[in-house]
Amino acid sequence: MDTEKSNSDWTDIEIQAAVDAYLSMLSREQSGQKVVKTEENRILREGALAGRTKGSVEFRMQNISTVLEELGRARIAGYKPAKNVGANVARSIREALNAPSTLTPEDFAPTADEATLEQRSAKLEKQPIKEVPKGIERPEQTQSSGKSFVRDPGVRAWVRQQANGRCEGCGEPAPFEKDGRPFLEVHHVKHLAQDGSDRPSNAVALCPNCHRRCHHSGDRDEFTASLFQKVERLKFE
Ligand SMILES: [Zn+2]
Ligand SMILES: [Zn+2]
């Protein structure tokens, strides 16, 4: 069993690596993917956490659970919160949780899998996107049972950043937060199924009410038309 003392000399870089791995496991677990914790622990000790023991990495993961629980955020069920987290370690974990993680080319890759798309856009969204993403003019439909379209995570992330926490339909703040971010859904004004594009000029960030309204209400055509007045970047397709 590791003690707080033997863990006190972790660098911020090591803590960031542990937090990044933890958040990645958490989002995979939430999207129903299988996560083998001992494997993740081993991979960390072969890289960023070389020289640390298995137990020490495990203990750090439990520290992260403690901090997440204090923040009222979701944690990995398998990592029970540790009782005594030092103040410095807790601060370093909190900073790492908010720090933008390093992006890899994979984070930008289009995908038809909703959970993967959301995971990638959520990661991209954490830092300002400087260039307007090109998106996909004619999103391809997968042949799998879901028949979903291949979409650009950058478009979803950028559109949400533009909305800045407010629904682009009604102008109200997002009704609740998810994983610490305002919950807004990205809707394609001309639906993908009607050959709409997955480009910023065809996408809006909506609250769940306005999103349902676009799809199901009696005034959906009028409401959709009003979006063109409210959101300048939209282009009629
Ligand atoms: Zn709304
Ligand atoms: Zn929609």
Side-chain angles (χ1 to χ4, degrees):
M1 188 67 198
D2 238 304
T3 63
E4 175 59 31
K5 196 162 185 289
S6 71
N7 272 299
S8 62
D9 57 348
W10 277 50
T11 64
D12 286 346
I13 293 165
E14 285 178 308
I15 288 188
Q16 184 74 60
V19 165
D20 285 347
Y22 187 108
L23 293 178
S24 158
M25 279 187 268
L26 178 63
S27 66
R28 276 177 284 151
E29 197 176 81
Q30 285 174 334
S31 67
Q33 295 174 52
K34 197 167 172 252
V35 177
V36 184
K37 293 187 184 65
T38 49
E39 268 297 283
E40 303 282 339
N41 186 310
R42 183 185 58 77
I43 292 163
L44 275 169
R45 284 179 293 116
E46 281 173 3
L49 300 184
R52 297 292 171 189
T53 64
K54 188 178 175 192
S56 166
V57 173
E58 186 78 8
F59 182 64
R60 203 48 94 210
M61 293 300 179
Q62 292 180 279
N63 290 169
I64 298 169
S65 284
T66 309
V67 174
L68 282 171
E69 206 151 75
E70 282 166 7
L71 293 170
R73 287 172 58 173
R75 66 167 172 89
I76 297 175
Y79 290 128
K80 295 261 173 298
K83 279 209 180 80
N84 38 12
V85 185
N88 287 334
V89 170
R91 189 180 319 121
S92 179
I93 290 173
R94 275 196 299 274
E95 275 164 18
L97 284 167
N98 293 323
S101 32
T102 330
L103 299 175
T104 63
E106 201 193 40
D107 297 319
F108 295 90
T111 171
D113 179 66
E114 173 55 33
T116 309
L117 182 74
E118 184 53 36
Q119 192 183 324
R120 288 178 187 166
S121 349
K123 193 172 171 189
L124 295 177
E125 231 180 296
K126 283 188 187 163
Q127 38 206 306
I129 303 172
K130 293 192 187 80
E131 225 172 297
V132 185
K134 276 201 190 69
I136 306 166
E137 191 174 350
R138 274 296 171 93
E140 255 176 70
Q141 203 168 15
T142 53
Q143 292 310 305
S144 67
S145 56
K147 278 244 170 202
S148 27
F149 290 89
V150 174
R151 284 153 292 161
D152 180 350
V155 170
R156 183 177 281 196
W158 184 85
V159 166
R160 284 210 197 112
Q161 276 185 2
Q162 295 296 302
N164 197 18
R166 284 184 175 268
C167 170
E168 294 182 301
C170 62
E172 292 296 317
F176 54 88
E177 288 193 347
K178 191 189 172 198
D179 302 329
R181 290 174 299 117
F183 184 86
L184 292 171
E185 297 172 313
V186 173
H187 166 70
H188 293 88
V189 179
K190 180 165 185 183
H191 301 179
L192 298 179
Q194 296 163 347
D195 293 333
S197 77
D198 178 40
R199 288 183 299 194
S201 55
N202 187 44
V204 281
L206 300 176
C207 72
N209 267 351
C210 289
H211 194 192
R212 296 301 172 279
R213 192 168 173 186
C214 283
H215 284 275
H216 306 295
S217 76
D219 72 346
R220 59 180 182 265
D221 292 341
E222 292 86 341
F223 186 69
T224 296
S226 79
L227 293 173
F228 287 88
Q229 260 101 60
K230 294 168 191 158
V231 187
E232 234 171 78
R233 66 171 181 275
L234 292 182
K235 289 202 184 77
F236 194 78
E237 291 188 3

